[in-house]
Amino acid sequence: MSFGENLKTVRKEKQLSQEELAELLDVSRQSVSKWEQDLGYPEVEKLIALSRKLNVSLDKLLDTGITAAPTAPEVKPTGTITITSPHENVITECY
């Protein structure tokens, strides 16, 4: 779920209208509406206030269900590369 969907769900669980939530946060009802429609995001200070006023973690509000990308498969070396520095006579082999 998106931030807006999470916010709307929590707000409804707390039985608050957009107007009531807006008053708690000292913002306009239109701001709350925009957030719930994912047309904008609150400032960090308002996010913290949302968390406190709704008694919910920021993780729950911000969790969009996106998981980390799978890790790349392990690459097995197939040979060596020799790097030679012409100016310092340094030879390095990489596997």
Side-chain angles (χ1 to χ4, degrees), residues 2-30:
S2 68
F3 166 76
E5 292 169 325
N6 291 340
L7 176 58
K8 186 174 185 176
T9 299
V10 172
R11 177 181 59 78
K12 287 186 173 191
E13 286 173 0
K14 303 295 180 178
Q15 299 179 347
L16 292 169
S17 68
Q18 287 183 344
E19 184 71 35
E20 291 168 327
L21 181 57
E23 287 177 18
L24 286 173
L25 299 170
D26 196 30
V27 297
S28 68
R29 185 203 54 78
Q30 289 83 357

Short mmCIF file of all heavy atoms in Angstrom, two decimals, residues 2-30:
data_model
loop_
_atom_site.label_atom_id
_atom_site.label_comp_id
_atom_site.label_asym_id
_atom_site.label_seq_id
_atom_site.Cartn_x
_atom_site.Cartn_y
_atom_site.Cartn_z
N SER A 2 0.34 2.31 -0.52
CA SER A 2 1.08 3.57 -0.58
C SER A 2 0.97 4.31 0.75
O SER A 2 0.15 3.95 1.61
CB SER A 2 0.51 4.45 -1.69
OG SER A 2 -0.80 4.88 -1.34
N PHE A 3 1.77 5.36 0.89
CA PHE A 3 1.69 6.20 2.09
C PHE A 3 0.27 6.71 2.28
O PHE A 3 -0.29 6.65 3.37
CB PHE A 3 2.67 7.38 2.01
CG PHE A 3 2.39 8.44 3.04
CD1 PHE A 3 2.75 8.24 4.36
CD2 PHE A 3 1.75 9.62 2.70
CE1 PHE A 3 2.47 9.21 5.32
CE2 PHE A 3 1.48 10.59 3.65
CZ PHE A 3 1.84 10.37 4.96
N GLY A 4 -0.34 7.22 1.20
CA GLY A 4 -1.70 7.77 1.28
C GLY A 4 -2.71 6.73 1.74
O GLY A 4 -3.58 7.02 2.58
N GLU A 5 -2.61 5.53 1.20
CA GLU A 5 -3.52 4.45 1.60
C GLU A 5 -3.30 4.08 3.06
O GLU A 5 -4.27 3.87 3.80
CB GLU A 5 -3.32 3.23 0.70
CG GLU A 5 -3.77 3.46 -0.72
CD GLU A 5 -3.33 2.35 -1.67
OE1 GLU A 5 -2.22 1.80 -1.48
OE2 GLU A 5 -4.09 2.03 -2.59
N ASN A 6 -2.04 4.01 3.48
CA ASN A 6 -1.74 3.70 4.88
C ASN A 6 -2.31 4.77 5.81
O ASN A 6 -2.92 4.45 6.83
CB ASN A 6 -0.23 3.59 5.10
CG ASN A 6 0.38 2.38 4.44
OD1 ASN A 6 -0.30 1.41 4.12
ND2 ASN A 6 1.67 2.43 4.20
N LEU A 7 -2.13 6.03 5.44
CA LEU A 7 -2.62 7.13 6.25
C LEU A 7 -4.15 7.07 6.37
O LEU A 7 -4.71 7.19 7.46
CB LEU A 7 -2.19 8.48 5.67
CG LEU A 7 -2.72 9.72 6.38
CD1 LEU A 7 -2.31 9.75 7.84
CD2 LEU A 7 -2.25 10.97 5.66
N LYS A 8 -4.81 6.87 5.25
CA LYS A 8 -6.28 6.81 5.24
C LYS A 8 -6.78 5.66 6.10
O LYS A 8 -7.73 5.81 6.88
CB LYS A 8 -6.78 6.67 3.81
CG LYS A 8 -8.28 6.75 3.67
CD LYS A 8 -8.67 6.74 2.20
CE LYS A 8 -10.16 6.93 2.02
NZ LYS A 8 -10.52 7.01 0.60
N THR A 9 -6.13 4.50 5.99
CA THR A 9 -6.52 3.33 6.78
C THR A 9 -6.39 3.60 8.27
O THR A 9 -7.31 3.34 9.06
CB THR A 9 -5.67 2.10 6.39
OG1 THR A 9 -5.89 1.82 5.01
CG2 THR A 9 -6.01 0.90 7.23
N VAL A 10 -5.24 4.15 8.67
CA VAL A 10 -5.00 4.43 10.09
C VAL A 10 -5.97 5.50 10.59
O VAL A 10 -6.54 5.38 11.68
CB VAL A 10 -3.53 4.85 10.34
CG1 VAL A 10 -3.33 5.33 11.76
CG2 VAL A 10 -2.59 3.70 10.02
N ARG A 11 -6.17 6.53 9.78
CA ARG A 11 -7.10 7.60 10.19
C ARG A 11 -8.50 7.04 10.43
O ARG A 11 -9.14 7.35 11.43
CB ARG A 11 -7.16 8.69 9.10
CG ARG A 11 -8.17 9.81 9.42
CD ARG A 11 -8.24 10.85 8.35
NE ARG A 11 -8.62 10.38 7.03
CZ ARG A 11 -9.88 10.08 6.66
NH1 ARG A 11 -10.87 10.18 7.52
NH2 ARG A 11 -10.12 9.68 5.42
N LYS A 12 -8.95 6.17 9.54
CA LYS A 12 -10.28 5.58 9.69
C LYS A 12 -10.35 4.64 10.89
O LYS A 12 -11.36 4.59 11.59
CB LYS A 12 -10.70 4.87 8.41
CG LYS A 12 -11.06 5.85 7.31
CD LYS A 12 -11.61 5.15 6.10
CE LYS A 12 -12.11 6.16 5.10
NZ LYS A 12 -12.88 5.53 4.03
N GLU A 13 -9.26 3.89 11.14
CA GLU A 13 -9.19 3.02 12.32
C GLU A 13 -9.35 3.84 13.60
O GLU A 13 -9.93 3.38 14.57
CB GLU A 13 -7.87 2.25 12.37
CG GLU A 13 -7.77 1.13 11.37
CD GLU A 13 -6.39 0.51 11.33
OE1 GLU A 13 -5.47 0.95 12.08
OE2 GLU A 13 -6.20 -0.42 10.53
N LYS A 14 -8.79 5.05 13.59
CA LYS A 14 -8.87 5.94 14.76
C LYS A 14 -10.17 6.74 14.77
O LYS A 14 -10.38 7.57 15.65
CB LYS A 14 -7.67 6.91 14.78
CG LYS A 14 -6.32 6.24 14.77
CD LYS A 14 -6.06 5.44 16.01
CE LYS A 14 -4.68 4.79 15.93
NZ LYS A 14 -4.34 4.05 17.11
N GLN A 15 -11.02 6.48 13.78
CA GLN A 15 -12.33 7.13 13.67
C GLN A 15 -12.21 8.66 13.63
O GLN A 15 -12.94 9.37 14.33
CB GLN A 15 -13.27 6.67 14.78
CG GLN A 15 -13.51 5.18 14.74
CD GLN A 15 -14.43 4.69 15.84
OE1 GLN A 15 -14.70 5.41 16.80
NE2 GLN A 15 -14.89 3.46 15.71
N LEU A 16 -11.29 9.12 12.82
CA LEU A 16 -11.09 10.56 12.63
C LEU A 16 -11.48 10.94 11.22
O LEU A 16 -11.21 10.20 10.26
CB LEU A 16 -9.62 10.94 12.85
CG LEU A 16 -9.05 10.82 14.25
CD1 LEU A 16 -7.54 10.98 14.22
CD2 LEU A 16 -9.68 11.87 15.16
N SER A 17 -12.08 12.11 11.06
CA SER A 17 -12.33 12.66 9.73
C SER A 17 -11.07 13.37 9.26
O SER A 17 -10.16 13.63 10.06
CB SER A 17 -13.50 13.64 9.78
OG SER A 17 -13.12 14.79 10.52
N GLN A 18 -11.03 13.67 7.98
CA GLN A 18 -9.89 14.44 7.48
C GLN A 18 -9.81 15.78 8.20
O GLN A 18 -8.72 16.25 8.52
CB GLN A 18 -10.02 14.67 5.97
CG GLN A 18 -9.75 13.45 5.14
CD GLN A 18 -9.83 13.73 3.66
OE1 GLN A 18 -10.35 14.75 3.22
NE2 GLN A 18 -9.31 12.81 2.85
N GLU A 19 -10.94 16.38 8.44
CA GLU A 19 -11.00 17.68 9.13
C GLU A 19 -10.42 17.57 10.54
O GLU A 19 -9.63 18.42 10.97
CB GLU A 19 -12.44 18.18 9.18
CG GLU A 19 -12.59 19.56 9.79
CD GLU A 19 -12.04 20.68 8.91
OE1 GLU A 19 -12.15 20.59 7.68
OE2 GLU A 19 -11.50 21.64 9.47
N GLU A 20 -10.79 16.51 11.27
CA GLU A 20 -10.30 16.34 12.64
C GLU A 20 -8.80 16.11 12.66
O GLU A 20 -8.08 16.66 13.50
CB GLU A 20 -11.04 15.17 13.31
CG GLU A 20 -12.50 15.47 13.59
CD GLU A 20 -13.30 14.24 13.97
OE1 GLU A 20 -12.99 13.13 13.47
OE2 GLU A 20 -14.24 14.39 14.79
N LEU A 21 -8.32 15.30 11.73
CA LEU A 21 -6.87 15.05 11.65
C LEU A 21 -6.13 16.34 11.30
O LEU A 21 -5.09 16.65 11.89
CB LEU A 21 -6.56 13.96 10.63
CG LEU A 21 -5.08 13.59 10.49
CD1 LEU A 21 -4.47 13.16 11.82
CD2 LEU A 21 -4.90 12.52 9.43
N ALA A 22 -6.70 17.10 10.39
CA ALA A 22 -6.08 18.37 10.00
C ALA A 22 -5.96 19.31 11.19
O ALA A 22 -4.93 19.96 11.38
CB ALA A 22 -6.91 19.02 8.88
N GLU A 23 -7.00 19.37 12.02
CA GLU A 23 -6.96 20.22 13.21
C GLU A 23 -5.89 19.76 14.19
O GLU A 23 -5.19 20.59 14.78
CB GLU A 23 -8.33 20.23 13.90
CG GLU A 23 -9.38 21.02 13.14
CD GLU A 23 -10.76 20.95 13.79
OE1 GLU A 23 -10.86 20.60 14.99
OE2 GLU A 23 -11.74 21.26 13.09
N LEU A 24 -5.75 18.44 14.35
CA LEU A 24 -4.71 17.92 15.26
C LEU A 24 -3.31 18.32 14.80
O LEU A 24 -2.42 18.52 15.62
CB LEU A 24 -4.79 16.39 15.33
CG LEU A 24 -5.92 15.77 16.13
CD1 LEU A 24 -5.93 14.26 15.94
CD2 LEU A 24 -5.78 16.12 17.61
N LEU A 25 -3.13 18.41 13.48
CA LEU A 25 -1.80 18.69 12.92
C LEU A 25 -1.59 20.15 12.56
O LEU A 25 -0.51 20.52 12.10
CB LEU A 25 -1.59 17.83 11.66
CG LEU A 25 -1.64 16.33 11.87
CD1 LEU A 25 -1.66 15.62 10.54
CD2 LEU A 25 -0.46 15.88 12.71
N ASP A 26 -2.63 20.95 12.72
CA ASP A 26 -2.58 22.37 12.36
C ASP A 26 -2.26 22.56 10.88
O ASP A 26 -1.37 23.32 10.50
CB ASP A 26 -1.58 23.12 13.25
CG ASP A 26 -1.77 24.63 13.18
OD1 ASP A 26 -2.91 25.07 12.96
OD2 ASP A 26 -0.77 25.35 13.33
N VAL A 27 -2.98 21.79 10.05
CA VAL A 27 -2.89 21.91 8.59
C VAL A 27 -4.31 22.00 8.03
O VAL A 27 -5.28 21.81 8.75
CB VAL A 27 -2.14 20.71 7.94
CG1 VAL A 27 -0.70 20.65 8.42
CG2 VAL A 27 -2.86 19.41 8.19
N SER A 28 -4.43 22.23 6.75
CA SER A 28 -5.76 22.29 6.14
C SER A 28 -6.27 20.88 5.84
O SER A 28 -5.48 19.93 5.69
CB SER A 28 -5.70 23.10 4.84
OG SER A 28 -4.95 22.40 3.87
N ARG A 29 -7.59 20.77 5.73
CA ARG A 29 -8.19 19.49 5.35
C ARG A 29 -7.70 19.09 3.97
O ARG A 29 -7.50 17.91 3.66
CB ARG A 29 -9.71 19.57 5.38
CG ARG A 29 -10.37 18.21 5.11
CD ARG A 29 -11.78 18.32 4.59
NE ARG A 29 -11.93 19.15 3.41
CZ ARG A 29 -11.62 18.77 2.16
NH1 ARG A 29 -11.11 17.58 1.93
NH2 ARG A 29 -11.80 19.59 1.15
N GLN A 30 -7.48 20.08 3.10
CA GLN A 30 -7.01 19.82 1.75
C GLN A 30 -5.62 19.16 1.76
O GLN A 30 -5.33 18.32 0.91
CB GLN A 30 -6.97 21.11 0.92
CG GLN A 30 -8.34 21.65 0.56
CD GLN A 30 -8.99 22.48 1.67
OE1 GLN A 30 -8.44 22.63 2.77
NE2 GLN A 30 -10.16 23.03 1.39
#
